[in-house]
Amino acid sequence: MPDDTPLMQQWRDAKSRHRDALVFFRVGDFYELFNQDAEEGARLLGLTLTSRNNGAAARVPLAGIPVKALDEYLARLVRAGKRVAICEQVEDPAEARGIVRREVVETVTPGTVLHDALLADRRNTFLAAVVKGSGAPASEGSASGRPATDRPAPAEAPWALAALDLSTGEFTVRAVPAGTLADEVGRIEPAELLLPRSLQEDPALAGVASPLEGGPARTVRDDWVFDAELAREELQRRFGVRSLEGFGFRTEGEAGAEPGAPDDRDLVRAGGALVTYVHEIRPGGVAHLEPPRILRPGSAMVLDRMTRRNLELVEPLRAGAGEGGEGTLLAVLDRAATAMGGRLLRRWVLNPLVAPAEIWARQEAVEELVTEQGVRRRLRDALRRVADLERLAGKMGTGRGTPRDLRALARSLAQLPAVAEACGALSAPLLRTLTGELDLLAEVRALLDGALADDPPAALSEGGVIRPGFDEALDELRALRDGAVDFIASLQTRERERTGIASLKVGFNKVFGYYLEVTRANLDRVPDDYVRKQTLANGERYFTPELKEWEEKVFGAEDRMAQLEARLFGEVRERAAGETARLQKTARRVAALDVLAALAEGAEEGGYVRPEVHTGYDLEIEAGRHPVVETMMPREEFIPNDVRLAEDGFIVILTGPNMAGKSTVLRQVGLIQLLAQMGAFVPARRARLPVVDRIFTRVGASDNLARGESTFMVEMHETAAILHGASDRSLVLLDEIGRGTSTYDGVSIAWAVTEHLHEAVGCKTVFATHYHELTQLGDLLPGVVNRNVAVREAGDDIVFLRRLEPGGADRSYGIQVARLAGVPRSVIARAAELLHELEGTHSGGGEGLGRHGALRPRSEAPPDQLTLFTPEHPLLARLRNLALEEMTPLEALNLLSRLRAEARGDREPGAP
């Protein structure tokens, strides 16, 4: 605006380039927010909103934060999904002519944070981009075994999904079938999702959790940013190549490609858009970004949102269940000694393998580390002294490494020989590969050890970063500075002797420099060559020409030292950054060794065994345990169970009372299967497990009112996803179906779903239910078997045995569980009375079908007349149970006479 001050003109220029961000504008020791940014920042951060005159008639809204508190306020804004542009002073105020020049040096978004305070140590912070597929539809295949008429319509072209972690440099791209887009995005757990503007309302993105639901923040960019040619040029320029084929990208018509197979232009579009966005966020560049790694479909098991949630893999099912993911599979497994190992373990949990050879390779490595306890102990001891090499590499690549970061890197590199030596005698192929290709970066370690002080300060400006002896010029300046300081320190003794003032002292402060201080009682003895510098209440401060000369020597030497140290440190950091790619490769290998050792440690502590993973169909678990539940109780109290799913019984109908442990059995099967395909050991006495393509779960009841979906609608959505997505190689775990609607509807749906899984899909299934009618399927379908969780009755109480037994249960013991939950006794008594009446009136299946006829009030006698809601006359039940073939004609005639009398309401003939 024409009346703006120069400072406000600078701010408006920065704001015009970052309209969608809050601009933190550096002014001295504060970051200031102006105008609309100040109003929004005050609301979000609880800042005091003030104003200042900008030189015109208007007053500008103003809010600010101290520079030292930046990380704290940034964390709050990032959690709120906001973008922040950091506008720094880029020249020394002492040397500036006019107003200090300022530039935006970094934009912080939820997916591009680099500040340590904003990053979770053991969790990646991914930025992701999605692009809608433009190629031919992917082949459906016939693995599901479903009839063609029952299969969904051909899928759309695969989507492209790219993800990168700016803090580590990891960069991946993958093709994602349209039906699994939300599942893949959820598995990556991005903090921010980059979208073309044309896809904001695309129905395929409806399944991706919104920011309000805990999903990623969404950033929309114009469609041209995702142009294939621009994206290709950006990737080639960023990685310095003339073609992307060296990274594995397929081009149209490429030799050896399958006929009709789409090329990878969509993967290039997604990856190029990410790199363009990162360059916009960090104009200074990101030298540590790795070349894109292409993940082809089928490299890992697909885990949908339901399965990740219901099995509580990395997040507890209930909010507030515990901090740090307590109560999850990851929390039980995570014994990693390093932060990068913890992040890799999380990715392994969310990406179980489907290639048997890879699974067996991990198992063999874990088995050897379980056996070789001494090796494992030495390896983990060395790993505990290794810092987060991945993120240290990221700091090198972005020029953010501090003196202490480089010293931590040197200490970590010093542990690598011990890591390699600990594993030197191991024979498992995976372990030999990881340690045999381990780059020790000896020259980088030597550079850092020779250049850096043993305990450098946190900030370069504090000095003392470079080790004595590394640079001759710096050593000379230090000697000059130290000599001057020693001379000034001896000046106090000489001046006391010369002036006779015993209380005279030499002092220093940052404002006035060095001075000679004399108390007021001795002012008459001050020599003529003393020049007054500052007046105090109790005396005066002076300097002499000699003191001034030595002061200038000290200050001059310190200024030159600071400049020289900054230059030397920058050179050392730049040389170390030049080896970022090697450092990243070493970090990946060390992280993998850490995870394998952690899995071995957990296997030994938990009494886990190596499962037999095979390519057949049968699933057999002997004495299986739930890996999470057993950690919450003494091990001897957990009751293990056997589960077998084979051709002669691949669907288990699991019945039993509430609280008996059906859900525990159900989930432990899924977790044991997942652990096996991670390459880990499993909590069981013995396990023989097939490789499954997917694990599906449907557990519990929940609604989604934000999307207008009732509990039953959510349940049916989840069921439909299973029926459409499962193949004969899948594992399906169902905990109730149809409980959100009427009883007849629910039983019908549950029955039909079970039949479909048996006849059309053929997948291994465990179905826990209170619909005891489903146990009849064990007699009707050859692949269905019944199991129940045993209980014992003791009067009105029940004892949960938590043991799986053959056969089905006929009761759910709901009233007993209600008593245990503390429901009032009067309610329990009335419920028992009503249950008895229902069971007595409806002998055909009272509890299971829940055929609620007209129940009489507590004080009312049984009705003589049937009501509208009574499903049948009681005489019908008697008729169904008659054994007519055993009666004589006379007995049958007498019975018929009695029944007619009862139907008319008459008394029986001869009755009193």
Side-chain angles (χ1 to χ4, degrees), residues 371-440:
T371 304
E372 300 293 339
Q373 298 181 19
V375 171
R376 186 178 75 245
R377 190 179 305 111
R378 292 194 298 275
L379 173 60
R380 287 174 57 79
D381 285 344
L383 288 172
R384 289 188 184 96
R385 293 188 286 273
V386 175
D388 194 338
L389 296 179
E390 286 184 331
R391 286 191 169 155
L392 286 175
K395 290 183 176 183
M396 299 300 107
T398 54
R400 296 172 52 253
T402 65
R404 288 184 180 174
D405 289 332
L406 265 67
R407 172 44 63 192
L409 176 58
R411 294 194 184 103
S412 300
L413 296 180
Q415 298 302 316
L416 296 185
V419 171
E421 182 181 355
C423 300
L426 298 178
S427 59
L430 179 57
L431 294 174
R432 292 183 64 84
T433 298
L434 292 174
T435 54
E437 298 178 3
L438 189 64
D439 186 348
L440 303 183

Coordinates of all heavy atoms in Angstrom, one line a residue, residues 371-440:
T371 N 19.1 -67.9 18.7 CA 20.0 -68.9 19.2 C 21.3 -68.3 19.7 O 21.8 -68.7 20.8 CB 20.3 -69.9 18.0 OG1 19.1 -70.4 17.5 CG2 21.2 -71.0 18.5
E372 N 21.9 -67.4 19.0 CA 23.1 -66.8 19.4 C 22.9 -65.6 20.3 O 23.0 -64.4 19.9 CB 23.9 -66.3 18.1 CG 24.2 -67.4 17.1 CD 25.2 -68.4 17.7 OE1 25.9 -68.1 18.6 OE2 25.2 -69.6 17.2
Q373 N 22.7 -65.9 21.6 CA 22.3 -64.9 22.5 C 23.5 -63.9 22.8 O 23.3 -62.7 22.9 CB 21.9 -65.5 23.9 CG 20.7 -66.4 23.8 CD 20.3 -67.0 25.1 OE1 20.7 -66.5 26.2 NE2 19.5 -68.0 25.1
G374 N 24.7 -64.4 22.8 CA 25.8 -63.5 23.1 C 26.0 -62.5 21.9 O 26.3 -61.4 22.1
V375 N 25.9 -63.0 20.7 CA 26.0 -62.1 19.5 C 24.9 -61.1 19.6 O 25.2 -59.9 19.4 CB 25.9 -62.9 18.2 CG1 25.8 -62.0 17.0 CG2 27.1 -63.9 18.1
R376 N 23.7 -61.5 19.9 CA 22.6 -60.5 19.9 C 22.8 -59.5 21.0 O 22.6 -58.3 20.8 CB 21.3 -61.3 20.2 CG 20.1 -60.3 20.1 CD 18.8 -61.1 20.3 NE 18.5 -61.4 21.7 CZ 18.5 -62.6 22.2 NH1 18.7 -63.7 21.4 NH2 18.3 -62.8 23.5
R377 N 23.4 -59.9 22.2 CA 23.6 -59.0 23.2 C 24.7 -57.9 22.8 O 24.5 -56.7 23.1 CB 24.1 -59.7 24.5 CG 24.1 -58.9 25.7 CD 24.6 -59.7 27.0 NE 23.7 -60.8 27.1 CZ 24.1 -62.1 26.9 NH1 25.3 -62.4 26.6 NH2 23.2 -63.1 27.1
R378 N 25.8 -58.4 22.2 CA 26.8 -57.4 21.8 C 26.3 -56.5 20.7 O 26.6 -55.3 20.7 CB 28.0 -58.2 21.3 CG 28.8 -59.0 22.3 CD 30.1 -59.4 21.9 NE 30.0 -60.4 20.7 CZ 29.9 -61.7 20.8 NH1 29.8 -62.2 22.0 NH2 29.8 -62.4 19.8
L379 N 25.5 -57.1 19.8 CA 24.9 -56.2 18.7 C 24.0 -55.1 19.3 O 24.1 -54.0 18.9 CB 24.1 -57.1 17.7 CG 23.4 -56.4 16.6 CD1 24.3 -55.6 15.8 CD2 22.6 -57.4 15.8
R380 N 23.2 -55.5 20.2 CA 22.2 -54.5 20.8 C 23.0 -53.5 21.6 O 22.6 -52.3 21.7 CB 21.1 -55.2 21.5 CG 20.1 -55.9 20.6 CD 19.1 -56.7 21.4 NE 18.3 -56.0 22.4 CZ 17.3 -55.2 22.1 NH1 16.9 -55.0 20.8 NH2 16.7 -54.5 23.0
D381 N 24.0 -53.9 22.3 CA 24.8 -53.0 23.1 C 25.4 -51.9 22.2 O 25.5 -50.7 22.5 CB 25.9 -53.7 23.9 CG 25.4 -54.4 25.1 OD1 24.2 -54.2 25.5 OD2 26.1 -55.3 25.6
A382 N 26.0 -52.3 21.0 CA 26.5 -51.4 20.1 C 25.5 -50.5 19.5 O 25.7 -49.3 19.3 CB 27.3 -52.1 19.0
L383 N 24.3 -51.0 19.2 CA 23.3 -50.2 18.5 C 22.7 -49.2 19.5 O 22.3 -48.1 19.0 CB 22.1 -51.2 18.1 CG 22.4 -52.1 16.9 CD1 21.3 -53.1 16.7 CD2 22.6 -51.3 15.7
R384 N 22.7 -49.4 20.8 CA 22.2 -48.4 21.7 C 23.0 -47.2 21.7 O 22.5 -46.1 22.1 CB 22.2 -49.0 23.2 CG 21.1 -50.1 23.4 CD 21.0 -50.5 24.8 NE 20.1 -51.6 25.0 CZ 20.4 -52.9 25.1 NH1 21.7 -53.2 25.0 NH2 19.5 -53.8 25.2
R385 N 24.2 -47.2 21.2 CA 25.1 -46.0 21.2 C 25.1 -45.4 19.8 O 25.9 -44.5 19.5 CB 26.5 -46.4 21.6 CG 26.6 -46.8 23.1 CD 28.1 -47.0 23.5 NE 28.6 -48.2 23.0 CZ 28.6 -49.4 23.6 NH1 27.9 -49.5 24.7 NH2 29.1 -50.5 23.0
V386 N 24.2 -45.8 18.9 CA 24.1 -45.3 17.6 C 22.9 -44.3 17.5 O 21.8 -44.7 17.9 CB 23.9 -46.4 16.5 CG1 23.6 -45.8 15.1 CG2 25.1 -47.3 16.5
A387 N 23.2 -43.1 17.1 CA 22.1 -42.1 17.0 C 21.2 -42.3 15.8 O 21.4 -43.3 15.0 CB 22.7 -40.7 17.0
D388 N 20.3 -41.5 15.5 CA 19.4 -41.6 14.4 C 20.1 -41.2 13.1 O 20.0 -40.0 12.7 CB 18.1 -40.7 14.7 CG 17.0 -41.1 13.7 OD1 17.2 -41.7 12.7 OD2 15.8 -40.8 14.1
L389 N 20.8 -42.1 12.5 CA 21.5 -41.8 11.3 C 20.7 -41.3 10.1 O 21.1 -40.5 9.4 CB 22.3 -43.1 10.8 CG 23.4 -43.6 11.8 CD1 24.0 -44.9 11.2 CD2 24.4 -42.6 12.1
E390 N 19.5 -41.8 10.0 CA 18.6 -41.4 8.9 C 18.3 -39.9 9.0 O 18.4 -39.1 8.1 CB 17.3 -42.2 8.9 CG 17.4 -43.6 8.5 CD 16.1 -44.3 8.4 OE1 15.2 -43.9 9.2 OE2 15.9 -45.2 7.6
R391 N 17.9 -39.5 10.2 CA 17.6 -38.0 10.4 C 18.8 -37.2 10.4 O 18.8 -36.0 10.1 CB 16.7 -37.8 11.6 CG 15.3 -38.3 11.3 CD 14.3 -38.0 12.3 NE 12.9 -38.3 11.7 CZ 11.9 -38.5 12.5 NH1 12.0 -38.4 13.8 NH2 10.7 -38.8 11.9
L392 N 20.0 -37.7 10.9 CA 21.2 -36.9 10.8 C 21.6 -36.7 9.3 O 22.0 -35.6 9.0 CB 22.3 -37.7 11.5 CG 22.3 -37.6 13.1 CD1 23.4 -38.5 13.7 CD2 22.4 -36.2 13.6
A393 N 21.3 -37.7 8.5 CA 21.6 -37.6 7.1 C 20.7 -36.5 6.5 O 21.1 -35.7 5.6 CB 21.4 -38.9 6.3
G394 N 19.4 -36.5 7.0 CA 18.5 -35.4 6.5 C 19.0 -34.0 6.9 O 18.8 -33.1 6.2
K395 N 19.5 -33.9 8.1 CA 20.0 -32.6 8.5 C 21.2 -32.2 7.7 O 21.4 -31.0 7.4 CB 20.4 -32.7 10.0 CG 19.2 -32.8 10.9 CD 19.6 -32.7 12.4 CE 18.4 -32.7 13.3 NZ 18.8 -32.6 14.7
M396 N 22.1 -33.1 7.4 CA 23.2 -32.8 6.5 C 22.7 -32.3 5.1 O 23.2 -31.3 4.6 CB 24.1 -34.0 6.3 CG 24.7 -34.6 7.5 SD 25.8 -33.5 8.4 CE 24.7 -33.1 9.8
G397 N 21.7 -33.0 4.6 CA 21.2 -32.7 3.3 C 20.5 -31.3 3.2 O 20.4 -30.7 2.1
T398 N 19.9 -30.9 4.3 CA 19.3 -29.6 4.3 C 20.1 -28.5 5.0 O 19.6 -27.4 5.2 CB 17.9 -29.7 5.1 OG1 18.2 -30.2 6.4 CG2 17.0 -30.6 4.4
G399 N 21.4 -28.8 5.3 CA 22.3 -27.8 5.8 C 21.9 -27.3 7.2 O 22.2 -26.2 7.6
R400 N 21.2 -28.2 8.0 CA 20.7 -27.8 9.3 C 21.5 -28.5 10.4 O 21.2 -28.4 11.6 CB 19.2 -28.2 9.4 CG 18.3 -27.5 8.5 CD 16.9 -28.0 8.5 NE 16.4 -28.1 9.9 CZ 16.2 -29.3 10.5 NH1 16.5 -30.4 10.0 NH2 15.7 -29.3 11.7
G401 N 22.5 -29.3 10.1 CA 23.3 -30.0 11.1 C 24.0 -29.0 12.0 O 24.8 -28.1 11.6
T402 N 23.8 -29.2 13.3 CA 24.5 -28.4 14.3 C 25.8 -29.0 14.7 O 26.1 -30.2 14.4 CB 23.6 -28.2 15.6 OG1 23.5 -29.5 16.2 CG2 22.2 -27.7 15.2
P403 N 26.7 -28.3 15.5 CA 27.9 -29.0 16.0 C 27.6 -30.3 16.7 O 28.4 -31.3 16.6 CB 28.5 -27.9 16.8 CG 28.1 -26.6 16.2 CD 26.7 -26.9 15.8
R404 N 26.6 -30.3 17.5 CA 26.3 -31.5 18.3 C 25.8 -32.6 17.4 O 26.0 -33.8 17.7 CB 25.3 -31.2 19.5 CG 26.0 -30.4 20.6 CD 25.1 -30.1 21.7 NE 25.8 -29.4 22.8 CZ 25.2 -28.9 23.9 NH1 23.9 -29.2 24.1 NH2 25.9 -28.2 24.8
D405 N 25.1 -32.2 16.4 CA 24.6 -33.3 15.4 C 25.8 -34.0 14.8 O 25.8 -35.2 14.6 CB 23.7 -32.6 14.3 CG 22.4 -32.2 14.9 OD1 21.9 -32.8 15.8 OD2 21.8 -31.2 14.3
L406 N 26.8 -33.2 14.4 CA 28.0 -33.8 13.7 C 28.8 -34.6 14.7 O 29.3 -35.7 14.3 CB 28.8 -32.7 13.1 CG 28.5 -32.5 11.6 CD1 27.2 -31.9 11.4 CD2 29.6 -31.5 11.0
R407 N 28.8 -34.2 15.9 CA 29.5 -35.0 16.9 C 28.8 -36.3 17.2 O 29.4 -37.3 17.3 CB 29.7 -34.1 18.2 CG 30.2 -34.9 19.4 CD 31.4 -35.8 19.2 NE 32.6 -35.0 18.7 CZ 33.6 -35.6 18.2 NH1 33.6 -37.0 18.0 NH2 34.7 -34.9 17.8
A408 N 27.4 -36.2 17.2 CA 26.6 -37.4 17.4 C 26.9 -38.4 16.2 O 26.9 -39.6 16.4 CB 25.2 -37.1 17.5
L409 N 27.0 -37.8 15.0 CA 27.3 -38.6 13.9 C 28.6 -39.3 14.0 O 28.7 -40.5 13.7 CB 27.2 -37.8 12.6 CG 27.6 -38.5 11.3 CD1 26.7 -39.6 11.0 CD2 27.5 -37.4 10.1
A410 N 29.6 -38.6 14.5 CA 30.9 -39.2 14.6 C 30.9 -40.3 15.7 O 31.5 -41.4 15.5 CB 31.9 -38.1 15.0
R411 N 30.2 -40.1 16.8 CA 30.1 -41.1 17.8 C 29.4 -42.4 17.3 O 29.8 -43.5 17.6 CB 29.4 -40.6 19.1 CG 30.2 -39.5 19.8 CD 29.6 -39.3 21.2 NE 30.3 -38.2 21.9 CZ 29.8 -36.9 22.0 NH1 28.6 -36.7 21.5 NH2 30.4 -36.0 22.6
S412 N 28.4 -42.1 16.5 CA 27.6 -43.3 15.9 C 28.5 -44.1 14.9 O 28.4 -45.3 15.0 CB 26.4 -42.7 15.2 OG 25.5 -42.0 16.2
L413 N 29.2 -43.4 14.1 CA 30.1 -44.1 13.1 C 31.1 -44.9 13.9 O 31.6 -45.9 13.4 CB 30.7 -43.1 12.2 CG 29.7 -42.3 11.3 CD1 30.5 -41.3 10.3 CD2 28.9 -43.2 10.4
A414 N 31.5 -44.4 15.0 CA 32.5 -45.1 15.8 C 32.0 -46.5 16.3 O 32.8 -47.4 16.6 CB 33.0 -44.3 17.0
Q415 N 30.7 -46.6 16.3 CA 30.1 -47.9 16.8 C 29.9 -48.9 15.7 O 29.7 -50.1 15.9 CB 28.7 -47.6 17.5 CG 28.8 -46.8 18.7 CD 29.7 -47.4 19.8 OE1 29.7 -48.6 20.0 NE2 30.5 -46.5 20.4
L416 N 30.0 -48.5 14.4 CA 29.7 -49.4 13.3 C 30.7 -50.6 13.2 O 30.3 -51.7 12.9 CB 29.7 -48.6 12.0 CG 28.6 -47.5 11.8 CD1 28.7 -46.9 10.4 CD2 27.3 -48.1 12.1
P417 N 32.0 -50.4 13.5 CA 32.9 -51.6 13.5 C 32.4 -52.6 14.5 O 32.5 -53.8 14.3 CB 34.2 -51.0 13.9 CG 34.2 -49.6 13.4 CD 32.8 -49.1 13.7
A418 N 31.9 -52.2 15.7 CA 31.4 -53.1 16.7 C 30.2 -53.8 16.2 O 30.0 -55.0 16.5 CB 31.1 -52.4 18.0
V419 N 29.3 -53.1 15.5 CA 28.1 -53.7 14.9 C 28.5 -54.8 13.9 O 28.0 -55.9 13.9 CB 27.2 -52.7 14.2 CG1 26.1 -53.3 13.4 CG2 26.7 -51.7 15.3
A420 N 29.4 -54.5 13.0 CA 29.9 -55.4 12.0 C 30.6 -56.6 12.6 O 30.4 -57.8 12.2 CB 30.8 -54.7 11.0
E421 N 31.4 -56.3 13.6 CA 32.2 -57.4 14.3 C 31.2 -58.4 15.0 O 31.4 -59.6 15.0 CB 33.2 -56.8 15.3 CG 34.0 -57.9 16.0 CD 35.0 -57.3 17.0 OE1 35.0 -56.0 17.0 OE2 35.6 -58.0 17.7
A422 N 30.2 -57.8 15.7 CA 29.2 -58.7 16.4 C 28.5 -59.7 15.5 O 28.2 -60.8 15.9 CB 28.2 -57.8 17.1
C423 N 28.3 -59.2 14.2 CA 27.5 -60.1 13.3 C 28.5 -60.9 12.4 O 28.0 -61.6 11.5 CB 26.6 -59.3 12.5 SG 25.3 -58.4 13.4
G424 N 29.8 -60.7 12.6 CA 30.7 -61.3 11.6 C 30.6 -62.8 11.5 O 30.9 -63.3 10.4
A425 N 30.3 -63.5 12.6 CA 30.3 -65.0 12.5 C 28.9 -65.6 12.2 O 28.8 -66.8 12.1 CB 30.7 -65.5 13.9
L426 N 27.9 -64.7 11.9 CA 26.6 -65.2 11.6 C 26.5 -65.7 10.2 O 27.2 -65.2 9.3 CB 25.5 -64.1 11.9 CG 25.5 -63.6 13.3 CD1 24.4 -62.5 13.4 CD2 25.1 -64.7 14.3
S427 N 25.6 -66.7 10.0 CA 25.5 -67.3 8.7 C 24.2 -67.1 7.9 O 24.1 -67.4 6.7 CB 25.7 -68.8 8.8 OG 24.7 -69.4 9.7
A428 N 23.2 -66.6 8.6 CA 21.9 -66.4 7.9 C 22.2 -65.4 6.7 O 22.8 -64.4 6.9 CB 20.9 -65.7 8.8
P429 N 21.7 -65.8 5.5 CA 22.0 -64.9 4.3 C 21.6 -63.5 4.5 O 22.4 -62.6 4.1 CB 21.2 -65.6 3.2 CG 21.0 -67.0 3.7 CD 20.9 -67.0 5.2
L430 N 20.5 -63.2 5.1 CA 20.1 -61.8 5.2 C 21.0 -61.0 6.1 O 21.4 -59.9 5.9 CB 18.6 -61.7 5.8 CG 18.1 -60.3 6.0 CD1 18.1 -59.5 4.7 CD2 16.6 -60.4 6.6
L431 N 21.5 -61.7 7.2 CA 22.4 -61.0 8.1 C 23.7 -60.8 7.5 O 24.4 -59.8 7.7 CB 22.6 -61.9 9.4 CG 21.3 -62.0 10.3 CD1 21.6 -62.9 11.4 CD2 20.9 -60.6 10.8
R432 N 24.2 -61.8 6.7 CA 25.5 -61.6 6.0 C 25.4 -60.5 5.0 O 26.3 -59.8 4.8 CB 25.8 -62.9 5.3 CG 26.2 -64.1 6.3 CD 26.6 -65.3 5.6 NE 27.9 -65.1 4.9 CZ 29.1 -65.2 5.5 NH1 29.2 -65.4 6.8 NH2 30.2 -65.0 4.7
T433 N 24.2 -60.4 4.3 CA 24.1 -59.3 3.3 C 24.1 -57.9 4.0 O 24.8 -57.0 3.6 CB 22.8 -59.5 2.6 OG1 22.8 -60.7 1.8 CG2 22.5 -58.3 1.6
L434 N 23.4 -57.8 5.1 CA 23.3 -56.5 5.8 C 24.7 -56.1 6.4 O 25.0 -54.9 6.3 CB 22.3 -56.6 6.9 CG 20.8 -56.8 6.5 CD1 19.9 -57.0 7.7 CD2 20.4 -55.5 5.7
T435 N 25.4 -57.1 6.9 CA 26.7 -56.7 7.6 C 27.8 -56.7 6.5 O 28.7 -55.9 6.6 CB 27.1 -57.7 8.7 OG1 27.0 -59.0 8.2 CG2 26.1 -57.5 9.8
G436 N 27.7 -57.5 5.5 CA 28.8 -57.6 4.5 C 28.8 -56.3 3.7 O 29.9 -55.9 3.2
E437 N 27.7 -55.7 3.5 CA 27.6 -54.4 2.7 C 27.5 -53.2 3.5 O 27.2 -52.1 3.1 CB 26.4 -54.5 1.8 CG 26.4 -55.6 0.8 CD 25.1 -55.7 -0.1 OE1 24.2 -54.8 0.1 OE2 25.0 -56.6 -0.9
L438 N 27.9 -53.3 4.8 CA 27.8 -52.2 5.7 C 29.0 -51.3 5.5 O 30.1 -51.7 5.8 CB 27.8 -52.7 7.2 CG 27.5 -51.7 8.3 CD1 26.1 -51.1 8.1 CD2 27.6 -52.3 9.6
D439 N 28.7 -50.1 5.1 CA 29.7 -49.1 4.8 C 30.0 -48.4 6.1 O 29.2 -47.7 6.7 CB 29.2 -48.1 3.8 CG 30.3 -47.1 3.4 OD1 31.3 -47.0 4.0 OD2 30.0 -46.3 2.4
L440 N 31.3 -48.5 6.6 CA 31.6 -47.9 7.9 C 31.9 -46.4 7.8 O 32.1 -45.8 8.9 CB 32.8 -48.7 8.5 CG 32.7 -50.2 8.6 CD1 33.9 -50.8 9.3 CD2 31.5 -50.5 9.5

